[in-house]
Amino acid sequence: MDDARWWQRATGYQIYPRSFQDSDGDGVGDIPGIVSRLDHLADLGVGFVWLSPVYASPMADNGYDVSDYRAIAPQFGTMADFDRLVDAARARGIGIVMDLVVNHSSNEHAWFRAARASRAAPEHQYYIWRDAGPDGGPPDDRRAAFGGPAWSWVEEIGQYYLHLFSPQQPDLNWRNPALRSEIHDMMDWWIAKGIAGFRMDVIDLIGKDVDAGLYEEGPYLHDYLREMHARVLKGRDLVTVGESWSVSLDTALLYCGRDRGELDMLFQFNHIRESWDETLGKFSPLPFDLVAFKKVMNDWQALMNRDGWNSLFLSNHDLPRQVSKYGQDGEWRVRSAKLLATVMHLMKGTPFVYQGEEIGMTNVPFDRIDQFRDLETLNAYAEQTEAGVATADFLRGARANGRDNARTPMQWTDGPQAGFTDGTPWIEVNPNHGAINVAADRADPDGIIAHYRRLIALRRDSDLVVFGTYRPFAEDHPQVMAYDRRLGDRRLAVLANFGSDPVRFDVPDAMAIRGRCAIANAGPREALEGTVTLAPWEAVAVAD
Ligand code: ISL
């Protein structure tokens, strides 16, 4: 179809720079390291990279606390290294998508230093300040995402500032047009460098009305997104993906409806939240429930059949490893990793691969709190053990759902430190790198990489995969996921067994198909009809 945008055919790949490839032996991944591994991405066939933040930062939250939006963190390299990355990626047909972290800055940003020194400084108005409440405490009882109150006191000027994350991440005041204009100019500056777009960190939080207590999807959100689009994005061939933990089916098209003039797509988390305990939170995860998961996926596919556009992902740098969470990371690791890729990549939307997913990297078996590095995990540990949670119980939750699972170094080889660094890595390498690494997987023609390569090529070459209408089957089946895609008179049907036992499945008449095998992880099938017995973690797609 001629009206396809490039990012509708492309597959994204997320790099967490700290953990991808170190080039200088300091134990921290860097931009020259990324450049040296671009052929791995080109070989997979990805169309663009979402680069987690590489800006100057004190690294309280590994770069999600930016102290200079127009500089590169020295640990990661120089601006010349960044420019080389953009060029070298482009030479391989890969765009670089920047992480735009503008709900908050670092407390070490020059703006915040000026803001906290004087109420009269223009930068004071770049942040959100309130006087103490009647009891001298914070103006409201909002809690910060990483623990403690969302307000911190600055003695020098006698006011509280808002930080929805850590105290090192003061929220920017989007109500101030001068602040918005600074952000727009900064975006222009990066676009002029030839980047391919932006992933927008917690973008649902920029439109807040603090006095009304409206933080998520606040009343000004869409005004600001429309303004940003008109001022910066319009008419430019970029991709934009907004991260929103609060978006629902009811609000999604406000961000990415075709005629809204806001964003191209969203990262929504309803399928992820599904397995978090509502009151105890992410460190007390519930077992995976396939029926609930399918309901979320099917609803979002249905919503975006005609308008908007989905992003498709199970993993990122904040989430556990998908093969450990949704698949089976023991005996069936390879097959279940391929199953997850198959069901996600053949839906309608743009798939995102998180580094290491393409070799089936697993959660990390840390058993001591000092092995963890993530401030969310460390703060939650302090809070929960203080409140009486046993250390062993907390650690079980952190191993299942903590952010460091995704942040251990990329496993390139079976050599020392998995080929990630010649030095001491900033976080331990997963001890399973002897068996699970890029070199070993690549050497296997039936490896996970080969499967991803096929899926990415299928999407690139097939209008049916890109544009076909999605239709779910067997929605209440506890072990099987089934759907098809239709475009004109062509169909593709997908069947997957989310379990380590074989399962007999009666293919619904409307789903039945004969033709050729598009992709499979347990031997090819040319037909899906009648009663089918699916092998453990078997996934197959048949096209007519
Ligand atoms: O998992 C989470 C909810 O408990 C959080 O880590 C969630 O990912 C976060 O609230 C939103 O994430 C984004 O913004 C954060 C940053 O730490 C994350 O890495 C980023 O993806 C603050 O910038």
Side-chain angles (χ1 to χ4, degrees):
M1 278 189 196
D2 295 325
D3 58 352
R5 303 283 310 272
W6 62 269
W7 44 265
Q8 294 179 307
R9 276 189 198 287
T11 297
Y13 185 98
Q14 185 192 351
I15 291 183
Y16 196 65
R18 240 185 143 65
S19 305
F20 193 63
Q21 177 67 60
D22 180 21
S23 72
D24 58 8
D26 68 353
V28 174
D30 49 39
I31 295 173
I34 297 172
V35 173
S36 75
R37 294 295 188 183
L38 282 174
D39 286 335
H40 173 66
L41 307 185
D43 172 69
L44 277 169
V46 306
F48 63 98
V49 164
W50 154 25
L51 191 63
S52 274
V54 290
Y55 313 97
S57 165
M59 303 285 171
D61 189 16
N62 292 351
Y64 286 89
D65 49 324
V66 178
S67 55
D68 184 344
Y69 289 100
R70 301 188 196 205
I72 300 293
Q75 284 171 303
F76 292 159
T78 63
M79 194 56 79
D81 292 329
F82 178 84
D83 293 336
R84 262 193 294 279
L85 170 63
V86 171
D87 290 346
R90 191 188 300 111
R92 291 165 175 83
I94 299 171
I96 299 292
V97 169
M98 293 299 272
D99 209 320
L100 189 73
V101 189
V102 291
N103 172 67
H104 44 268
S105 73
S106 161
N107 62 334
E108 293 186 25
H109 195 291
W111 295 339
F112 192 73
R113 290 176 194 270
R116 61 168 295 145
S118 156
R119 293 193 191 201
E123 293 86 350
H124 190 75
Q125 305 301 334
Y126 283 16
Y127 296 88
I128 300 171
W129 301 91
R130 291 291 181 274
D131 296 335
D135 58 350
D140 68 29
D141 56 9
R142 173 92 193 183
R143 307 286 295 171
F146 299 149
W151 298 92
S152 287
W153 180 250
V154 175
E155 190 61 47
E156 294 90 308
I157 54 172
Q159 281 183 311
Y160 281 97
Y161 68 91
L162 177 72
H163 52 85
L164 294 179
F165 295 89
S166 74
Q168 292 84 21
Q169 293 163 296
D171 278 53
L172 289 163
N173 177 20
W174 278 72
R175 308 263 346 240
N176 180 352
L179 179 272
R180 301 204 299 277
S181 174
E182 293 265 16
I183 304 292
H184 299 154
D185 290 349
M186 178 269 283
M187 293 172 76
D188 277 340
W189 188 85
W190 285 101
I191 292 168
K193 286 186 165 290
I195 64 165
F198 296 100
R199 174 267 183 184
M200 301 184 186
D201 194 59
V202 289
I203 204 67
D204 56 324
L205 303 178
I206 65 171
K208 53 193 154 278
D209 179 340
V210 170
D211 297 316
L214 301 172
Y215 288 94
E216 289 86 7
E217 296 190 320
Y220 309 107
L221 171 61
H222 296 290
D223 290 345
Y224 298 158
L225 286 176
R226 271 198 295 275
E227 178 189 58
M228 179 192 281
H229 186 270
R231 160 71 182 75
V232 181
L233 302 168
K234 194 173 174 181
R236 286 167 151 170
D237 193 17
L238 300 170
V239 63
T240 53
V241 194
E243 185 200 28
S244 177
W245 282 80
S246 57
V247 65
S248 65
L249 291 166
D250 295 334
T251 58
L253 292 176
L254 296 175
Y255 300 75
C256 65
R258 201 175 297 125
D259 301 323
R260 291 284 296 175
E262 296 193 16
L263 301 174
D264 293 322
M265 56 184 146
L266 287 172
F267 288 132
Q268 62 85 17
F269 295 88
N270 294 275
H271 59 307
I272 304 287
R273 280 238 169 110
E274 201 42 66
S275 63
W276 290 10
D277 186 288
E278 243 175 68
T279 43
L280 294 172
K282 66 188 291 182
F283 294 103
S284 302
L286 305 170
F288 175 52
D289 175 348
L290 180 67
V291 173
F293 172 81
K294 286 191 293 186
K295 167 122 182 71
V296 177
M297 300 311 287
N298 294 343
D299 285 349
W300 282 79
Q301 288 287 306
L303 177 73
M304 306 242 180
N305 251 336
R306 284 203 194 81
D307 193 9
W309 191 256
N310 274 301
S311 68
L312 305 170
F313 72 98
L314 294 174
S315 301
N316 67 28
H317 65 294
D318 294 331
L319 303 174
R321 289 288 176 179
Q322 66 188 47
V323 73
S324 300
K325 171 94 207 179
Y326 308 96
Q328 204 274 2
D329 63 8
E331 182 186 359
W332 302 108
R333 184 184 66 86
V334 170
R335 199 186 278 177
S336 68
K338 291 179 186 173
L339 171 142
L340 296 173
T342 307
V343 299
M344 296 304 290
H345 282 242
L346 296 180
M347 288 187 203
K348 186 170 177 181
T350 297
F352 285 78
V353 179
Y354 179 68
Q355 65 184 41
E357 179 192 320
E358 75 278 29
I359 56 167
M361 277 178 65
T362 67
N363 280 353
V364 69
F366 288 162
D367 51 16
R368 299 187 322 270
I369 191 66
D370 65 79
Q371 293 174 294
F372 290 87
R373 296 286 175 273
D374 167 34
L375 92 168
E376 179 182 60
T377 307
L378 297 176
N379 291 353
Y381 172 76
E383 259 183 20
Q384 296 196 15
T385 50
E386 168 87 26
V389 173
T391 295
D393 291 338
F394 180 83
L395 289 177
R396 195 171 318 114
R399 273 196 298 274
N401 233 2
R403 306 201 298 183
D404 281 335
N405 285 303
R407 300 178 179 187
T408 63
M410 180 72 181
Q411 293 164 207
W412 297 103
T413 70
D414 64 1
Q417 310 302 354
F420 163 70
T421 181
D422 294 335
T424 305
W426 69 276
I427 186 170
E428 286 174 37
V429 171
N430 194 314
N432 65 17
H433 75 271
I436 303 175
N437 61 73
V438 171
D441 188 85
R442 195 176 277 290
D444 178 356
D446 279 329
I448 305 172
I449 291 176
H451 197 82
Y452 272 83
R453 194 190 291 123
R454 281 182 213 120
L455 285 167
I456 292 168
L458 255 179
R459 165 169 301 275
R460 197 179 45 227
D461 301 337
S462 161
D463 280 350
L464 177 57
V465 173
V466 178
F467 293 108
T469 301
Y470 176 94
R471 181 172 56 161
F473 295 97
E475 286 152 87
D476 295 327
H477 198 294
Q479 195 175 332
V480 172
M481 182 157 191
Y483 63 83
D484 74 2
R485 308 284 310 279
R486 274 179 301 170
L487 189 67
D489 56 5
R490 297 196 40 218
R491 280 205 313 130
L492 175 82
V494 180
L495 208 51
N497 173 12
F498 277 72
S500 301
D501 299 317
V503 63
R504 278 165 63 84
F505 180 73
D506 294 323
V507 179
D509 288 344
M511 185 185 180
I513 191 166
R514 273 178 177 272
R516 59 185 179 78
C517 187
I519 194 156
N521 67 355
R525 292 179 188 267
E526 272 75 46
L528 298 174
E529 58 192 358
T531 300
V532 171
T533 301
L534 294 169
W537 297 102
E538 175 173 0
V540 58
V542 175
D544 60 11

